[in-house]
Amino acid sequence: AYLPRLEFARSFFALAGFSVEADGQFDDPDLAAAAAARCGARVVCIVSTDDRYPEAVPALAGALKRARPGVRVLLAGLPAEPERVEAWRRAGVDGFIHLRADAYAILAALARGNGDEA
């Protein structure tokens, strides 16, 4: 169910020449965070379905930040509710990639290493 969003995320990062070093399906946020920490990526994109995000995003974003401080955590998709966006930012999500996102600004910021536009 999440494969279209996964392909969108892969294509989004490929626009700037980024490669997807690893991907996998995890039900446990700590296992996902450990895998992300092992691969050494400085950017991690959470990809799932809208119905799984409310439970998964806060736990996974927090686990990612604990496992690899300084990692940029992005989410594929954008919730319609502004309060959810803010809650997920507080949980550790640094930015959102989606159809209306400014891909150039996000990818340029990530390429510079700061990710401030994400």
Side-chain angles (χ1 to χ4, degrees):
Y2 68 90
L3 289 179
R5 192 170 272 167
L6 179 60
E7 287 304 315
F8 168 80
R10 286 180 177 148
S11 297
F12 187 92
F13 293 108
L15 285 171
F18 290 103
S19 64
V20 175
E21 293 294 324
D23 58 42
Q25 183 174 352
F26 299 93
D27 290 323
D28 181 312
D30 292 320
L31 291 177
R38 278 192 307 276
C39 84
R42 59 184 183 87
V43 178
V44 174
C45 185
I46 299 171
V47 179
S48 190
T49 57
D50 287 341
D51 61 317
R52 293 214 49 210
Y53 277 167
E55 178 183 341
V57 170
L60 182 52
L64 287 164
K65 293 290 186 168
R66 286 188 302 277
R68 189 162 167 78
V71 70
R72 303 294 300 172
V73 176
L74 302 179
L75 180 77
L78 181 68
E81 308 86 3
E83 61 276 0
R84 186 163 284 172
V85 170
E86 289 309 312
W88 290 351
R89 282 191 182 278
R90 286 190 303 275
V93 173
D94 296 300
F96 301 84
I97 62 169
H98 51 89
L99 293 175
R100 295 183 319 270
D102 185 342
Y104 177 80
I106 293 169
L107 293 168
L110 292 173
R112 286 190 305 270
N114 59 17
D116 289 340
E117 295 299 318

